[in-house]
Every structure is written in structure tokens, then in C-alpha cells.
Amino acid sequence: MRLLSARLIISLIFGITLVSLLFSYYQVVVEKRALRSDMERRAEVLGESLAGNVEGSWDVGSDRQLQRLVERFANREHLVGVAIYDRLGNPVATTPELGKALAASPQVVNQAIAKDHNASSFMRLGSEPVHIFASPLHRKGEVVGGLAVVHDVSYIRAQSLRVWRVGFFRVLTQGFFVVLITLLIVRWSIAGPIARAAQWMRAMRTGRISSRQEMPDLDLFRPLAREVATMAESLAQARSAAENEARLREAAESMWTAERLSVQVRTRLDGSQLFVVSNRQPYLHQRAGKSLEVVVPPSGLVTALEPVLHACDGTWIAHGNGDADREAVDARDRLRVPPDDPRYTLRRVWLSKEEEAGYYYGFANEGLWPLCHIAHTRPIFRAADWQYYQEVNRKFTDAVLEEIEGIPRPVVLVQDYHFALLPSLVKAKRPDARLAIFWHIPWPNPEAFGICPWQRHLVEGLLGADLIGFHIQSHCNNFLRTVDRVVESRVDWERFAVLRQHHRTMVRPFPISVDLSDDESAQSQGEGSSYVERGSLLRNLGVEAAFLGIGVDRVDYTKGILERFLAIERFLEKHPAYQGKFSFVQIGAPSRTHIKRYHDLLAEVEGEAERINWRFQTGKWKPVVFLKRQHSHKEITPYYRAADFCLVTSLHDGMNLVAKEFLAARGDERGVLILSQFTGAANELRDALLVNPYDIDQTAEAIRVALEMEPEEKQLRMQRMRRVIREHNIYRWAGNLITELCEVRLDAVQETPARLSASVSGA
Ligand code: G6P
């Protein structure tokens, strides 16, 4: 600051001096010119009047008379003297002061005589500056001589010096005041605000204040201050991120976020690209009058994969099942999604009605779904469905090959039981592709799987993958045991891998999850607000109740919805005090309703709810509210937050994300989770009230325990479960899956089938 002031002062002094000097110089020039012309004018008047007198005395007069005449004029201001010369320039009469100095006529007199015209000149006489006015003298029209009037002009120089002197003092005074005023301005409007800004920034830096609201008045530095405030905020954010990271590191568990996943995936992909294949698409287009409507289908798989695609801008290949899907794609059946904020590419694959019926409704959902879920619904295996399943797997393979064409070492993530054959089909054409398949549903024991007539083809198809993922270890074990029985291969139980025909397939558990942070950001509810929300939610449904339970499912026989309703009925029987006070809201999205079993189930669930309501209902209260339609995540969240407990009673479930979504929504750390022991989630969420959904009394008792649990106990359990899903979130699932896949070595496996202790059994 001092250096700045010194520089400023020097520049100011230099500038002011220069300007003042130029100004003074101009003044001197003007003044000098005025004095000179004044002198010329006066000399001329005097000279001409004198010349008249001299001419009058020229004839008559003697030299003495002329001498007297010149001497009479000699006493004028600044006049040095007068001299008269004859035509040849010889002096005729001269005032004594001029004496010898003008013994010979000066040049200017000669000039006046020669040209018969007045002339004047500034010159030096000895060392003195003088002005000489010369006029010709006439007699009878003839030039007879010349007159010189000499003035002392040294006063002009003196006057110029005076102007310079005044100028100098003015420069000095002006400079002093300008510097003084400038320093005061700098102090008040620059140094002051800068000092305040520095103080404020220091406070921000040290964390004493945290927002721009506390920004001091920084005057003309306001725009700069705003920038500084933004920087300070970024700094504060970076600091809190770093603190967070440090906290997590301290907990020996660094948190997975969308950003971290994005960086991880990009690093792992190392310039390559990610392709996801699934039956269900993340967005479908429907015609709504004249416009197109975008719908997000109810699927745990979609919920889980969206953030992965957002993170790395890949391509998602899926069945285009919306009635207006074809209108939204380009010539290559692609579009960018999400439609309002495009982040990745969706490639739609078209299926005929027959293909959809055979592959999706038939083989996948009437065959494999009940085969893998031990829910005692008998699988149906039709040869025609199997044909369509193979055809559609080939169709999707073609789409994948088309998308990955020209892309070196693509990374392909295949999803679920709809595409068991796709890994082998793709790898046969593109061995350089890294391919993983994630099986989102359970894998049953080999005996149960063995009833599928085409089990060998399915297992061989899957073994084309470099990595097969399941939710939990027991599904991995079941799969490896099935492989052991069905195909010629070596199962490496130490590394959980299958070696077959020079190819290694790793088999690993990756428990799928949700994004807790998303829900946390929306948790600004205060104490007791869930109860306020509950009142208005139930009022909107036309029900009055003090206690609330919630269930959210696709209406699927694996979800144990009927068993759940029976447990609610038993609870009300055993604890009549809750009659009139406890209601259960079941959100049920109709699903796969073209399948008779699902169609019938929907009616059964509705019938059961009606039966129980008819039995207990009084006034404005009823025990079961069945909301039979698909609800968005946004619509469901208030129910999660308002409920005393969430009831998940799947008879068998790969993971069950409803349980995790409920926990994610409970930022208030209240609410209890009642969870079927037959879900994958039960492995991680040990603080839930675990139940066997077939045991109606046990579930009824769990409902009582949930409603009567001490708040401290609820909070402790909720805190522990939320910590589990915070640390094992969806980003971690995707990050681990992709990391593991990218670490697989694609070069040939050393062991040959001949050396392996192969176990073979027929399909
Ligand atoms: C399960 C399956 C998913 C499927 C979802 C919804 O979570 O694992 O692959 O997308 O159910 O079923 P849907 O048949 O409607 O796609």
C-alpha cells in the first residue's frame, strides 16, 4: 500500500508539473507577444510624430536645432534615445545616451531609407536588448535621411521571468494540495474498503463467517467484492467438502458420490465408452392428445442405473415399449435423455407383439421370474416362448454390436434375467469388449433352477460375461453350484470364478442401493412435522387415523401383499385398542397385467383389502387404503415420511429397494422398518424388525412392536440403518461393479479344460 501511494504521488507530481510548465510557457509566450506589440505600437506613434517635427526643422534648422529636438524627446519611459541620420547614414543628431553605440546608422535605418518605409527591429545594443523604430525623413518628397527611436526592452524579459516565477509557485502549491487531496481520497475510498474487505475475507477464510450476507459496504469495489464473495463461498464449500472427506476417511470409509462415480468411471473407462442393456427403458413416450408425454416406469433397475448413465454419458439400449416411442427417436432409433436435461443416449429396440409376448411376458416373466423367486408360483416353460427369448436376445445383440462398432474395448453392462444369452453372443463377435451382467433377482438353488428345460443354454450364455453380479453372496453360491452341475467347467471357489474354454468369469456380490444424499437434501422437516403431514395425507384419502403404516410395491405375487394384509388383520384382532386408530396405506403399481397370474392377483389384493375393511371399518376410519396406480418417487416420499413403519413382506426378493428408499426418506430418524428375512436387503439391514412373511402372527407382532417402540430405540435403529445405506449407496454399487469389470484380464486363461476337474451334467 505504501509503495502504491509513493508511486501515485510521484506520478501525480510529475503530471501536475508537466501540465503547469506547459501552461506557464504558453502564458509567457502570450505575455511576451503582447508586450512586444505594445512596444512596437508606442515606438511607431512616437517615431512618426518625431519624424514630422524633424522634417519641419530639416531645412531651417541647423544640426544644433535638430540636436535640441531629439534631446527634448529623450526623457520618455523606456526610451534609450533618438538618432537622426542623413541619407548616407551619417549621424546628424543623436541623444547622448546612444552616443557611440549608434555612431553608424543601424541596418534597420538603412532599410527604412532605402525602401522609403517604416521599419522596426528587436536587437541588442551592446548587452542590452532594445527595440529600434526607423522612419525615413523627407524633404520635398525626397528621402533625405532617417530617424531611429531606440527603446529599452529589458522589462519584457523581466516580465517573462516574473510569469515563470509565479507559475513555479503555483505548481508548488497546486501539487501540494492535489497530493494531499488524492491521499485523503485513497485513504477514504480505496484503502478503507480494501482494509474492510481484507478483514472480511480473513474472517471467511478462518470460518468465522460463512456467507456473502455479511459482506461489508465496499463502495466502488462492489463488483470486485461480489467476485471475491463467490470465490470465498467456493473456498468455504471446498473446505467443507475437504472436511467431509477427512471425516469419512477417518471413519475408514470414503463416501461414494455422483461426482466420485463420474471420475472413477471415466478413469476406469480410460477413453472407452459405457453401454447398458436392459429390457425396461428409463423413459417412455406416450401420446397424450396432440402432445407426447414422458413417463418414468416403476422399476428398481431404472432407479439404480440412471445415476450411472448421468455420471458418464453412455448409451442405454432398451426395449421401446411406449406407444409414441418411435416418434421421439432419430433415424438410428436414438434420442438424448432425460428429455429436459440430456445427459446420455437412449437407443430403442423395437419388438413385435409376438416377440414381446413370447420373450418378456412368456419366458422371462412366466418362466424365469417364478423360477428364480421361491414364491410357490409355478414357472411355465413353453418352447415357443424360448424361441422368442433366443430371437430377442439375438436382436439386442445386433443392436449392441451396432452401437459398439468402431469403439475399442467397450464396456458393456447387461441387466437382468431378460438377457441371459446376450453375454456369449456379444463376446463371440467382440472378445475385446468387457462385459458384465447383473442379475437383479435371486438365483435359486441348483435343484430349483434345474427344472428349467434350457438351464444349460442359460448358464452357458451367462458365462460369456467377464463378470456376473448378484445382490448377495448366497445368490453367487447358488449360481456357482448350478454351473458346477450343468456345464463342463472348473469352478474356482477360492476366487469365485468359473474357468471355461479359456475364459474366466468372475462371480461377485454387489448389493444394489439408493442415493441417500438426494433425499437428505429434501429433509428440512422440523420435529413433529411428519405427524402434521400424516394428518393432511390421510384427510386427502378420506381417512382419520392416529397411527400409519405404509407399503409400496409393484403388485407382484413375490411381494407378499396378501400375507401383509392378513398380518394387519391379525394385529387388529389381537390388539383391538388399535381399531379406529391404525390405518395401513398400500401403494400398488399394477404390473405385467397381461399375465393371468398378475391380473388375478390385482383383483385378489383389492378383494382382500375390501374384506378386511368391511370387517373393521367404522365412521371415517378404515384399516387398509389400497392406492392402485403407479406413483412417482415424489408422490411416495410424503407417505414414507409420515408413516410409523414401512412393511416389506416379500416372499423372496433379490434386494428390495423400497426398504432402502424408506430409510433414505427418514432424515428425521423416526419410523421403523419391518422387513422380510427373504429379501437381499435383510442381509444388510439388521436393525429392521425381521420377519418371516409366511408367519402371520410374527408379522402382526412386529407391527405392534413397531408402533410401541420407544423413540430412542427407533432413532438408534434408524441411525444405524441409514449409516449402512449412506455408505453403501448406489454410486458405490456402480463404482465397484465397473471397477471390478475393468480389472478383469481379458487375455486367455492358462488352464485348459483338459486339466480341469470338470463336472458335467445334462441340462
Ligand atoms: C424387477 C426386475 C427388473 C424389472 C422390474 C420391474 O426389479 O429385476 O428387471 O425392470 O422388476 O418389472 P418390469 O417387468 O415392469 O420391468
Side-chain angles (χ1 to χ4, degrees):
M1 188 67 204
R2 259 186 213 132
L3 188 67
L4 179 78
S5 304
R7 275 193 195 153
L8 189 71
I9 291 166
I10 291 171
S11 315
L12 274 171
I13 292 176
F14 182 75
I16 294 167
T17 310
L18 191 70
V19 171
S20 298
L21 283 177
L22 284 173
F23 185 68
S24 300
Y25 172 74
Y26 175 73
Q27 259 190 325
V28 167
V29 168
V30 169
E31 181 84 14
K32 220 168 164 182
R33 200 174 291 152
L35 289 172
R36 277 180 163 223
S37 79
D38 179 58
M39 167 51 65
E40 277 168 342
R41 205 169 26 78
R42 278 197 288 135
E44 190 176 354
V45 171
L46 179 66
E48 278 183 352
S49 104
L50 190 59
N53 288 332
V54 171
E55 280 171 351
S57 312
W58 187 272
D59 276 351
V60 199
S62 57
D63 289 356
R64 210 176 309 131
Q65 205 172 348
L66 289 175
Q67 185 64 33
R68 268 203 303 276
L69 190 67
V70 295
E71 279 171 10
R72 219 172 59 222
F73 277 88
N75 294 330
R76 311 255 168 146
E77 191 192 10
H78 301 310
L79 188 68
V80 181
V82 177
I84 298 169
Y85 300 92
D86 64 14
R87 218 193 134 96
L88 299 173
N90 299 316
V92 178
T94 315
T95 49
E97 288 80 4
L98 289 178
K100 285 182 207 130
L102 283 183
S105 61
Q107 181 61 29
V108 64
V109 175
N110 298 342
Q111 205 179 327
I113 294 170
K115 291 195 177 161
D116 188 13
H117 199 282
N118 291 347
S120 74
S121 166
F122 287 91
M123 56 189 285
R124 284 195 171 273
L125 211 54
S127 63
E128 292 303 314
V130 293
H131 173 258
I132 300 180
F133 173 79
S135 175
L137 295 169
H138 300 94
R139 188 73 203 132
K140 295 180 188 150
E142 289 282 313
V143 177
V144 289
L147 168 76
V149 178
V150 182
H151 277 96
D152 175 10
V153 288
S154 59
Y155 73 95
I156 293 181
R157 196 161 167 266
Q159 179 68 5
S160 301
L161 281 175
R162 204 178 56 76
V163 173
W164 276 120
R165 214 168 25 247
V166 170
F168 173 73
F169 283 113
R170 197 181 50 222
V171 167
L172 223 61
T173 343
Q174 269 179 353
F176 174 74
F177 281 109
V178 168
V179 167
L180 189 72
I181 291 166
T182 311
L183 281 178
L184 289 177
I185 291 175
V186 166
R187 179 129 209 93
W188 285 331
S189 9
I190 303 178
I194 285 180
R196 284 202 297 283
Q199 228 173 1
W200 169 69
M201 281 166 72
R202 198 173 308 122
M204 287 276 266
R205 179 168 55 79
T206 51
R208 276 183 283 128
I209 54 169
S210 59
S211 84
R212 66 173 68 203
Q213 261 72 51
E214 294 154 81
M215 190 166 83
D217 179 17
L218 298 179
D219 212 358
L220 61 150
F221 290 101
R222 192 145 272 284
L224 194 70
R226 270 198 290 274
E227 278 307 309
V228 171
T230 312
M231 271 170 66
E233 272 170 13
S234 314
L235 207 74
Q237 278 166 15
R239 186 174 41 229
S240 90
E243 276 168 10
N244 206 18
E245 183 72 24
R247 191 170 50 74
L248 291 166
R249 244 190 244 128
E250 204 176 275
E253 197 70 72
S254 95
M255 178 84 98
W256 277 87
T257 59
E259 293 70 37
R260 181 172 167 192
L261 174 65
S262 175
V263 172
Q264 173 85 352
V265 169
R266 277 200 298 265
T267 316
R268 291 289 167 178
L269 290 182
D270 191 21
S272 188
Q273 283 181 35
L274 182 72
F275 298 84
V276 168
V277 189
S278 76
N279 171 70
R280 188 58 69 191
Q281 56 177 346
Y283 297 93
L284 65 85
H285 285 84
Q286 276 176 356
R287 187 135 285 287
K290 282 191 178 161
S291 54
L292 292 189
E293 186 183 69
V294 180
V295 178
V296 178
S299 158
L301 180 148
V302 168
T303 317
L305 284 167
E306 262 272 283
V308 183
L309 271 292
H310 271 234
C312 58
D313 190 359
T315 300
W316 188 331
I317 303 160
H319 171 208
N321 64 325
D323 62 16
D325 273 353
R326 285 178 197 262
E327 296 171 50
V329 295
D330 64 15
R332 302 183 67 188
D333 299 328
R334 293 175 179 154
L335 73 154
R336 296 284 292 169
V337 288
D340 49 357
D341 175 24
R343 304 283 283 273
Y344 63 94
T345 302
L346 171 61
R347 160 76 194 271
R348 284 177 172 152
V349 175
W350 314 114
L351 299 181
S352 67
K353 282 278 167 231
E354 295 72 27
E355 283 171 333
E356 193 180 354
Y359 136 86
Y360 170 75
Y361 287 107
F363 194 77
N365 285 318
E366 287 192 284
L368 290 179
W369 180 268
L371 176 75
C372 291
H373 290 91
I374 312 297
H376 310 286
T377 290
R378 190 185 158 150
I380 301 169
F381 292 113
R382 301 179 196 96
D385 290 347
W386 170 239
Q387 287 306 323
Y388 279 120
Y389 186 82
Q390 294 177 86
E391 255 173 48
V392 171
N393 268 253
R394 277 195 287 271
K395 201 172 210 178
F396 270 82
T397 299
D398 291 344
V400 172
L401 292 173
E402 209 177 293
E403 291 298 326
I404 65 177
E405 195 183 336
I407 293 174
R409 297 167 289 104
V411 174
V412 186
L413 293 186
V414 183
Q415 305 299 317
D416 236 347
Y417 58 99
H418 309 91
F419 299 114
L421 307 178
L422 197 136
S424 292
L425 292 170
V426 171
K427 285 288 268 191
K429 293 273 180 349
R430 287 293 301 267
D432 67 316
R434 289 178 180 279
L435 192 146
I437 181 161
F438 190 81
W439 197 260
H440 289 255
I441 60 175
W443 190 280
N445 61 50
E447 293 75 23
F449 198 80
I451 66 171
C452 174
W454 300 285
Q455 64 161 335
R456 186 172 58 81
H457 297 83
L458 293 170
V459 171
E460 281 176 353
L462 285 168
L463 288 176
D466 302 300
L467 175 67
I468 303 178
F470 294 96
H471 289 301
I472 55 176
Q473 186 62 50
S474 70
H475 297 162
C476 298
N477 296 351
N478 283 346
F479 175 74
L480 288 175
R481 285 171 52 218
T482 309
V483 171
D484 218 2
R485 285 198 181 193
V486 173
V487 293
E488 186 179 343
S489 65
R490 182 187 147 200
V491 174
D492 180 345
W493 284 97
E494 260 168 47
R495 277 182 274 181
F496 288 97
V498 179
L499 308 174
R500 182 175 167 269
Q501 294 173 354
H502 304 278
H503 180 252
R504 179 190 284 121
T505 303
M506 314 291 287
V507 181
R508 293 278 185 280
F510 299 96
I512 206 161
S513 194
V514 292
D515 175 12
L516 183 74
S517 55
D518 253 11
D519 285 275
E520 259 174 345
S521 61
Q523 309 273 335
S524 51
Q525 338 169 57
E527 264 299 285
S529 63
S530 60
Y531 292 93
V532 177
E533 222 175 327
R534 174 186 306 171
S536 67
L537 272 179
L538 289 174
R539 250 193 313 284
N540 288 345
L541 300 175
V543 181
E544 271 180 15
F547 301 96
L548 175 68
I550 178 76
V552 181
D553 305 84
R554 279 184 307 105
V555 180
D556 191 298
Y557 52 83
T558 60
K559 303 293 179 185
I561 301 173
L562 293 173
E563 288 75 3
R564 189 177 311 176
F565 286 180
L566 291 178
I568 290 164
E569 184 181 29
R570 182 67 51 85
F571 164 71
L572 291 172
E573 274 168 14
K574 284 173 84 172
H575 306 284
Y578 283 100
Q579 290 180 20
K581 293 193 182 130
F582 165 74
S583 287
F584 186 80
V585 173
Q586 174 64 51
I587 294 177
S591 171
R592 307 170 189 167
T593 43
H594 295 318
I595 298 174
K596 188 170 179 308
R597 180 75 180 90
Y598 284 83
H599 180 83
D600 295 348
L601 178 71
L602 200 53
E604 271 177 68
V605 170
E606 263 181 310
E608 236 357 51
E610 268 172 40
R611 184 186 64 76
I612 298 169
N613 283 340
W614 180 81
R615 182 174 167 196
F616 292 101
Q617 195 164 354
T618 51
K620 281 196 166 178
W621 174 77
K622 60 178 172 177
V624 179
V625 181
F626 178 45
L627 303 178
K628 191 183 76 172
R629 72 167 173 87
Q630 191 206 324
H631 287 61
S632 67
H633 184 65
K634 211 169 140 205
E635 286 174 304
I636 296 169
T637 307
Y639 287 99
Y640 282 148
R641 290 195 183 146
D644 290 294
F645 65 85
C646 176
L647 191 45
V648 177
T649 52
S650 308
L651 304 181
H652 200 189
D653 216 329
M655 172 53 68
N656 194 286
L657 287 182
V658 168
K660 293 189 173 181
E661 276 166 9
F662 171 67
L663 300 174
R666 296 313 294 251
D668 62 353
E669 297 178 345
R670 302 160 83 163
V672 179
L673 176 64
I674 303 174
L675 182 62
S676 159
Q677 65 189 72
F678 305 126
T679 59
N683 277 28
E684 295 172 90
L685 306 174
R686 308 308 293 179
D687 280 288
L689 298 180
L690 294 180
V691 293
N692 171 359
Y694 293 94
D695 186 341
I696 305 299
D697 279 293
Q698 190 195 30
T699 310
E701 179 58 8
I703 293 174
R704 188 197 62 77
V705 172
L707 291 176
E708 294 175 6
M709 192 182 282
E710 289 299 321
E712 296 73 30
E713 171 79 9
K714 282 189 197 173
Q715 187 177 26
L716 194 68
R717 286 170 180 260
M718 187 53 84
Q719 279 173 346
R720 286 202 290 239
M721 289 191 287
R722 278 173 60 83
R723 195 176 313 132
V724 170
I725 55 168
R726 189 180 291 114
E727 285 167 8
H728 296 80
N729 61 13
I730 183 60
Y731 304 113
R732 185 184 176 131
W733 173 80
N736 287 348
L737 184 63
I738 292 168
T739 305
E740 190 93 36
L741 176 60
C742 292
E743 272 167 13
V744 166
R745 286 184 56 190
L746 292 185
D747 45 352
V749 174
Q750 293 311 304
E751 291 94 331
T752 58
R755 284 177 48 215
L756 302 176
S757 55
S759 52
V760 188
S761 78

